[in-house]
């Protein structure tokens, strides 16, 4: 599916991801950031895809052979009867545009790469918002998003999720042997569905692979916190 | 256009969905449809039989995902699945005259450059399927649902080279007429038709109504038969149910009857009722004649350039007389070539010539690599330029799109080696008007050679519009034949043969003063004589200006928009260096002003400044200041990189003055490890290392351990930098370090990447954990402190 609304890149979000800690960027960087955001915006063709599966014993997804493993996802889905799989991609063109930029300016490439990651996250939020609304009109409730590789949920799960969703055919999203989503500016996530309000339990930083290096955590921005 | 795949005079009916039918027969979500060939073969035969009874002339065997990549992790083998699946279909065909297609779908993994799957590996996977399909008794091969032209090319090439069966190819488009990978209908036709597909089509993704305008475009662009297999409309996102009934589907298909389409069937959501309805629809009709319009065009995967006006060809990727490029190519570094490609594209080139014929270079190895590297960063069509036929063959294999081959001549032997190659890979060709007795003096003699080249090209099966003629520019100062003969020959070829022409422009002024004037004047005359493809340096703005003015005067620039756009004054805010106290160069670098830093360096050198003094006295202090700011958190990554790039630009100016060797420091190898494609971190480190004088050998991304070991050995590097961004690719990093140690290499290894930690780095045997690019410079300086 395509999005009906076009989201402008969240510039503050890009700067924050580059470590600006809320500080303003200089005029030159601002100008280049504008160019980078524009290029990403032009290239991005966001599409998303979802499907729901009843949760069986051992967190099996419907009648498939896929089960969700790990303590963190079990905690997140506690009290949920089924799970919504979400996959989203900005498409291949941002990738090509970033490669092209790299051939002449690493700086521009870095700005574009960060802008594209930020934009993918924004569209994931938007998809989640729409799905939440849709679910709630049916009298059901959604948890937040939980992605493979997060906490102790293995990243290798990407392969199964994309097969269940028919990701390559439906939105051109596939996964490499190493579990890298391709195109790279893509997100997959699981959201629990329950007949009563659920918050889910995001894994928190303790299990996070980025625990030692995460700039965000050091600055007190926990992605584990429920977003507003 | 008729051929053996689809019968003459009547529509050929293809079958409908297989997946939809399998799901109805109880296939579980996420399960492999190929398993059904063993668990429920009679079900499959039943489905095929239902389609044949409905009227299908061709049924697709249940082999869509029967490739080694998708079957990995199961106990199924490619040959067993294909054998069984084709048997099921053949059984259904018995006594009916219906034919079986080996169905080949995408591999499910993205190819290079976006993904990590190499073109050659994709080819092998498809070759395995094709050979098994022919052995199992399939009547034809149907490659379908492709979205990546490169993957479709790999499959088609494999099918042509590993079977004798006819091959039909269809791709899936979105309503905007492009696939997920950005391939247009025209780009598909430009590449796959000439590569030898027997029919081209569109399947899946959309319903008949949405595919209709795309099919119309395909009929115009394809030199083959055309077919469609639309979905039953659009699916409901949550239930997956499609919205068209058989009757409604059929109603939407009426538009195909007079389009030039000669075969039709269904894709997702269709069933035998849909095919029955189609059979009723087509029974009183015969396909309209081909609507193909031949055009001279060249293409990449995502761009088609029609040669219906002046199309400048960038000449700069050619090492002749360029020491810098020669050295880069000799060391296997293709990033210099990539920036030349990107620069020429932004200067307005429409096509790029790629020549890597430098001393000490194995062109057969290097030309295909260069083609892949350029196509990774630039979507302009390429001219593959080599005098070595084997190198051209290797490059033609991996080129994605329809290229132009540079070149054959009128020499018999040359034509007999080059023309069949162009036919085999679906390329256009340049014919040089010279033969065994050299370059003739007169226009008439050159014209005669051009005529003969065209004749031979047609004899080898090329289409007329794919033959381009170069009447050869000779230096005006050389005496003998005057450039006037070149111009007259160009005019003759253009007017009499109607072929597209090309000329290298700047040769004409060789050895003369004020060369730009002579070049410009010659260009004007040549354009007037009918030159389509001037080969030039698009960075020479006077030449590009000349073309713009010519187009304006000749009415080739509607409303003069391009001309006016070109000369509209662009106001760039005068950038002012922030650090007023420092000397200008130093300040320019600190402020990250790239162009200004380069011109200031040039000025200083012209005033007699010494290059090394500038490096040590201006550039290094500037970089140190910025680096310290970055570490203290007062400057951020974009600014660090802006300064690094400004320093790099200044360094280039100095390097050009000195020649390379005097300034080159010790080598450092950098690579993103096997299986990983995140390379921005590595590229940041590279720029910074280069700033400090290191000769960085960048092996790229997804690099196997043995390549890294070989490079470390060859260059005698004391430092190897490895990057990995995924928990799943850290083992490859560990393996690479182990491989370096096993070889007994004394080099140090530094590692970086988001998921790495100091302790993990030490555990896998790295010498340095570098948390950012600055740290990689510190490591390099520490190791090489005596030499710098």
């Amino acid at each position: 599916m395509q999005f009906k609304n076009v989201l402008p890149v969240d510039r503050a979000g890009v700067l924050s991801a580059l470590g600006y800690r809320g500080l303003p960027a200089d005029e030159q960087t601002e100008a280049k950031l504008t160019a980078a955001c524009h290029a990403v915006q032009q290239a991005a063709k966001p599409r998303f895809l979802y499907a729901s599966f009843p949760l069986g014993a051992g967190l099996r997804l419907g009648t498939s052979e896929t089960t969700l493993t790990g303590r963190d996802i079990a905690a997140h889905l506690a009290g949920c009867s089924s799970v919504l799989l979400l996959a989203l991609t900005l498409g291949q063109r941002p990738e090509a545009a970033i490669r092209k930029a790299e051939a002449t300016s690493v700086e521009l490439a870095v700005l574009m790469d960060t802008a594209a990651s930020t934009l993918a996250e924004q569209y994931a939020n938007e998809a989640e918002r729409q799905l939440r609304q849709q679910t709630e009109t049916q009298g059901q409730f959604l948890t937040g998003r939980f992605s493979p590789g997060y906490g102790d949920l293995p990243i290798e799960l990407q392969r199964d999720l994309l097969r269940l969703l028919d990701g390559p055919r439906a939105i051109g999203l596939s996964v490499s042997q190493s579990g890298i989503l391709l195109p790279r500016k893509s997100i997959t996530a699981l959201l629990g569905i329950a007949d009563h309000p659920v918050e889910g339990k995001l894994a928190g930083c303790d299990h996070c692979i980025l625990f030692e290096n995460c700039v965000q955590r050091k600055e007190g921005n926990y992605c584990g916190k429920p977003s507003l | 256009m008729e051929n053996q795949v689809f019968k003459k005079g009547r529509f050929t009916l293809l079958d409908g969905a297989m997946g939809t039918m399998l799901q109805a027969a109880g296939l579980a979500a996420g399960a492999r449809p190929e398993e059904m060939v063993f668990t429920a073969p009679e079900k499959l035969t039943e489905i095929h039989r239902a389609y044949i009874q409905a009227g299908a002339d061709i049924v697709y065997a249940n082999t869509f995902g029967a490739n080694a990549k998708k079957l990995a992790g199961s106990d199924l083998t490619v040959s067993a699945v294909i054998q069984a699946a084709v048997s099921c279909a053949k059984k259904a065909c018995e006594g009916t005259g219906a034919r079986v297609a080996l169905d080949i779908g995408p591999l499910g993994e993205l190819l290079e450059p976006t993904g990590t799957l190499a073109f050659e590996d994709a080819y092998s996977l498809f070759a395995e399927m094709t050979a098994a399909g022919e052995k199992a008794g399939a009547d034809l091969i149907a490659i379908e649902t492709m979205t990546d032209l490169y993957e479709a090319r790999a499959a088609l090439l494999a099918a042509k080279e590993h079977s004798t069966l006819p091959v039909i190819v269809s791709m899936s488009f979105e309503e905007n007429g492009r696939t997920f990978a950005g391939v247009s209908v025209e780009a598909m036709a430009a590449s796959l038709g000439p590569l030898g597909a027997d029919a081209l089509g569109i399947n899946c993704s959309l319903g008949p109504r949405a595919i209709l305008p795309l099919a119309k475009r395909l009929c115009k662009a394809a030199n083959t038969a055309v077919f469609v297999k639309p979905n039953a409309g659009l699916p409901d996102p949550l239930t997956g149910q499609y919205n068209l009934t058989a009757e409604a589907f059929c109603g939407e298909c009426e538009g195909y009857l007079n389009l030039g389409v000669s075969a039709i069937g269904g894709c997702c959501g269709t069933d035998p009722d849909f095919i029955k309805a189609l059979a009723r629809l087509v029974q009183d009709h015969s396909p309209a004649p081909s609507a193909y319009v031949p055009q001279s065009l060249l293409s990449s995967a995502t761009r088609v350039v029609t040669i219906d006006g002046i199309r400048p060809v960038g000449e700069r990727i050619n090492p002749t007389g360029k020491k810098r490029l020669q050295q880069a190519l000799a060391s296997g570094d293709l990033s210099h070539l990539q920036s030349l490609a990107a620069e020429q594209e932004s200067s307005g080139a429409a096509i790029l010539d790629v020549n890597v014929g430098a001393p000490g270079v194995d062109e057969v190895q290097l030309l295909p690599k260069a083609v892949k590297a350029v196509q990774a960063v630039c979507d302009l069509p390429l001219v593959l330029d080599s005098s070595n036929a084997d190198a051209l063959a290797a490059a033609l294999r991996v080129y994605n799109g329809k290229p132009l081959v540079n070149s054959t001549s009128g020499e018999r032997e040359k034509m007999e080696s080059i023309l069949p190659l162009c036919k085999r890979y679906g390329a256009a060709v340049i014919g040089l008007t010279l033969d065994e007795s050299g370059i003739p003096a007169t226009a008439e003699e050159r014209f005669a050679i051009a005529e003969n080249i065209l004749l031979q090209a047609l004899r080898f099966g090329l289409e007329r519009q794919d033959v381009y003629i170069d009447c050869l520019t000779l230096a005006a100062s050389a005496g003998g034949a005057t450039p006037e003969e070149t111009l007259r020959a160009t005019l003759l070829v253009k007017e009499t043969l109607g072929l597209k022409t090309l000329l290298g422009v700047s040769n004409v002024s060789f050895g003369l003063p004020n060369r730009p004037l002579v070049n410009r004047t010659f260009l004007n005359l040549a354009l007037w004589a009918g030159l389509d493809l001037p080969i030039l340096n698009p960075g020479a703005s006077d030449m590009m200006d000349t073309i713009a003015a010519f187009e304006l005067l000749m009415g080739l620039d509607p409303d003069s928009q391009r001309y006016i756009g070109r000369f509209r004054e662009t106001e760039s805010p005068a950038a002012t260096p922030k650090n007023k106290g420092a000397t200008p160069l130093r300040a320019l670098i600190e402020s990250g002003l790239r162009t200004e830093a380069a011109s200031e360096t040039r000025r200083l050198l012209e005033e007699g400044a010494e290059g090394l003094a500038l490096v040590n006295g201006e550039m290094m202090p500037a970089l140190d200041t910025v680096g310290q700011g970055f570490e203290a958190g007062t400057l951020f990554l974009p600014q660090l990189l802006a300064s690094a790039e400004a320093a790099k630009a200044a360094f280039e100016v100095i390097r050009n003055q000195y020649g390379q060797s005097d300034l080159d420091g010790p080598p450092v190898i950098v690579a993103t490890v096997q299986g990983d494609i995140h390379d921005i971190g590595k590229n940041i480190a590279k720029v910074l290392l280069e700033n400090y004088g290191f000769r960085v050998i960048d092996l790229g991304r997804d690099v196997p351990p043995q390549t890294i070991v070989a490079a470390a050995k060859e260059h005698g590097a004391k430092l190897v930098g490895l990057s990995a961004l995924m928990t799943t690719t850290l083992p490859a990093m560990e393996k690479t370090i182990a491989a370096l140690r096993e070889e007994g290499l004394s080099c140090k290894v530094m590692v970086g990447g988001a998921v790495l930690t100091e302790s993990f780095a030490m555990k896998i045997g790295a010498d340095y954990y570098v948390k950012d690019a600055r740290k990689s410079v510190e490591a390099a300086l520490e190791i090489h402190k005596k030499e710098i």
Side-chain angles (χ1 to χ4, degrees), chain B residues 415-537:
Chain B
M415 289 193 285
E416 281 172 1
S417 82
I418 300 297
L419 295 174
L421 268 185
C422 296
K423 171 63 186 167
R424 178 172 175 190
Y425 293 107
V429 68
I430 297 173
L432 307 180
T433 53
L434 62 90
D435 61 14
E436 287 81 358
S437 34
I439 304 176
T442 69
E444 285 71 17
E445 290 167 294
R446 292 188 207 178
F447 173 79
I449 295 175
E451 209 171 17
N452 185 40
I453 292 172
L454 171 63
L455 213 65
Q456 295 308 314
L458 295 174
R459 191 168 71 83
F460 280 105
L462 269 74
E463 293 188 34
R464 184 183 186 95
Q465 71 277 8
D466 288 333
V467 180
Y468 296 63
I469 298 294
D470 183 338
C471 293
L472 299 169
T473 309
L474 303 177
S477 59
T482 63
E484 190 202 352
E485 293 303 312
T486 304
L487 297 169
R488 285 209 307 119
T490 301
L491 185 66
L492 272 174
V493 166
K494 191 69 188 284
E495 302 234 302
T496 316
L497 299 178
L499 298 183
K500 302 298 177 190
T501 60
L502 96 187
L503 283 174
V505 178
S506 49
N507 296 350
V508 74
S509 62
F510 191 77
L512 293 173
N514 200 353
R515 288 188 65 179
L517 172 66
V518 179
N519 290 345
R520 222 160 43 224
T521 308
F522 181 70
L523 175 61
N524 265 318
L525 294 167
L527 292 173
W528 173 250
L531 174 62
D532 301 289
L533 304 180
I535 307 179
L536 43 75
N537 173 4

Side-chain angles (χ1 to χ4, degrees), chain B residues 65-85:
Chain B
N67 63 70
K69 204 124 250 172
K70 277 194 173 168
L71 296 181
S74 73
D75 45 11
L76 306 176
T77 67
V78 172
S79 59
V81 169
I82 287 179
Q83 180 65 48

Side-chain angles (χ1 to χ4, degrees), chain B residues 652-670:
Chain B
E652 281 292 308
V653 173
I654 299 171
R655 196 202 283 269
N656 285 340
Q657 190 203 37
Y658 274 75
Q660 195 171 20
S661 48
D662 307 57
L663 280 174
D664 269 344
V668 175
I669 311 273
V670 297

